Amino acid sequence: MITVYRAVLAATLVTAGGAAIAPTIVTRAQRDQQQPVIQRVLDETFEKYRNLKEGKNADYIPALAKVNPELFGITLVTADGKVYTAGDVGTQVSIQSISKVFTLAKVIEQDGPEKIEKTIGVDATGMRFNSIVSIEFSQKSLGGPEMNSLVNPGAIATTSMVNGSSAAEIWNSILGYYSDFAGRPLTVLDDVYQSEAATNQRNQAIGALMYAYGYIKANPAQATDIYTRQCSVGVNAKDLAMMAATLANGGKNPVTNKQVMTPDNVPYVLSVMATAGLYDDSGKWLYHTGLPAKSGVGGGIIAVAPGKFGVAVVSPPLDDAGNSVRAQKVIREIVARLHANPYEVRPRTVATTGSR
Ligand code: GLU
């Protein structure tokens, strides 16, 4: 059995019966010895799913239908900066909804965690990611915001909260922020942006409605346009894993060592990912992995094992909920094989002393 990350404890534990037990410490040397295990898990998982043909590219944004459905790459970056890859980790896809995580992070950094909670909300809507009905149900008169920054209405409103004196300034600060997470300068895939901007009437309507209900304070068209741009940023599996690993490492990019966000703010972002990261299947996802994650209709999924690693898979064909079929299977398997589900704990055998 693989025990890569099992039981790193700093404090002494006390059992229910009151006996003190010694913590199990995994030393750096032991961990380094176990590193090849991660590469083997990635290689084997890649091989196992390489010929999977289930799912279909998103096509409601015409440019996404043209992306090669065979594209398949896996990257895992540990919290101490080791990078493991399998498959094509260089070809870029559009980040799509995964961007919502990092704009949420930016606004939490800017305004603190309370503002988002009070204005947009941090609850699952229980509805589709682009639901208009969810906006109606989320009104204050009906009991307060039952919404979050990872579905389109909440995401467009979150983008509208980013400070800046012009659209260009806001956009540059968003793109710069994503780039710090990825550890390299990211750019927009212009064909995707043009394609989505020409066909995103529904998001424009959502922006207008969020403005009408006071979630967006001014200029909903600008907020929707910047949101569309942020969804069109090009990323590969390596970029996405690096972004996830930065969250796994308390907001510090483990390769560039830049502190991108305050460690205390990271758990707020991860909790919204756990609640609403995989659209309507977020509960199912958490049930199987225990990890905060986020998917995008471009075919990427990231998952974060706090203190351990960030993992990302890119594979465009999606299931009915809008999540990459192959990425879900692969990450589920990697998490299981590396014992990275934080809820997975083996009972300890403790030698008892005394007669209690
Ligand atoms: N840009 C896409 C949209 O707004 C993002 C959707 C997604 O990835 O979930 O429809």
Side-chain angles (χ1 to χ4, degrees), residues 60-61 96-97 100 129 152 196 203 227 231 279 296-297:
Y60 76 101
I61 301 168
Q96 295 300 337
S97 266
K100 293 166 176 165
F129 70 95
N152 287 14
E196 185 163 351
N203 282 343
Y227 163 81
C231 288
Y279 311 115
V297 292

Side-chain angles (χ1 to χ4, degrees), residues 166-191:
S166 66
E169 194 179 311
I170 295 167
W171 170 242
N172 286 331
S173 101
I174 289 174
L175 187 62
Y177 197 59
Y178 293 4
S179 300
D180 285 344
F181 272 96
R184 74 166 182 110
L186 299 176
T187 54
V188 163
L189 300 177
D190 202 51
D191 61 324

Side-chain angles (χ1 to χ4, degrees), residues 161-226:
M161 292 165 74
V162 175
N163 287 340
S165 56
S166 66
E169 194 179 311
I170 295 167
W171 170 242
N172 286 331
S173 101
I174 289 174
L175 187 62
Y177 197 59
Y178 293 4
S179 300
D180 285 344
F181 272 96
R184 74 166 182 110
L186 299 176
T187 54
V188 163
L189 300 177
D190 202 51
D191 61 324
V192 177
Y193 169 68
Q194 297 298 343
S195 175
E196 185 163 351
T199 53
N200 70 347
Q201 288 74 24
R202 187 180 179 98
N203 282 343
Q204 293 175 39
I206 287 172
L209 202 53
M210 291 298 275
Y211 176 60
Y213 290 161
Y215 289 100
I216 294 178
K217 299 292 172 225
N219 211 343
Q222 175 179 297
T224 306
D225 181 58
I226 295 176

Side-chain angles (χ1 to χ4, degrees), residues 219-300:
N219 211 343
Q222 175 179 297
T224 306
D225 181 58
I226 295 176
Y227 163 81
T228 308
R229 244 174 243 277
Q230 79 177 43
C231 288
S232 311
V233 167
V235 283
N236 55 39
K238 217 170 179 174
D239 297 324
L240 289 173
M242 203 67 77
M243 296 171 96
T246 301
L247 291 171
N249 188 37
K252 185 179 196 174
N253 184 306
V255 171
T256 66
N257 282 322
K258 180 163 183 170
Q259 189 73 49
V260 184
M261 76 180 294
T262 315
D264 284 354
N265 283 336
V266 173
Y268 296 108
V269 174
L270 296 181
S271 69
V272 185
M273 292 168 73
T275 303
L278 263 77
Y279 311 115
D280 306 358
D281 280 349
S282 299
K284 206 186 285 174
W285 173 265
L286 201 62
Y287 189 75
H288 285 285
T289 65
L291 293 186
K294 184 73 197 91
S295 61
V297 292

Side-chain angles (χ1 to χ4, degrees), residues 2 4-5 31 34-45 76-78 82-85 308-309 334 338:
I2 296 157
V4 176
Y5 292 111
R31 210 173 47 209
Q34 288 160 338
Q35 301 281 358
V37 170
I38 301 178
Q39 188 59 55
R40 197 175 73 225
V41 167
L42 258 59
D43 290 341
E44 289 173 4
T45 314
L76 184 152
V77 180
T78 61
K82 299 204 171 56
V83 180
Y84 301 87
T85 67
K308 295 172 183 168
F309 61 76
I334 290 172
L338 296 182

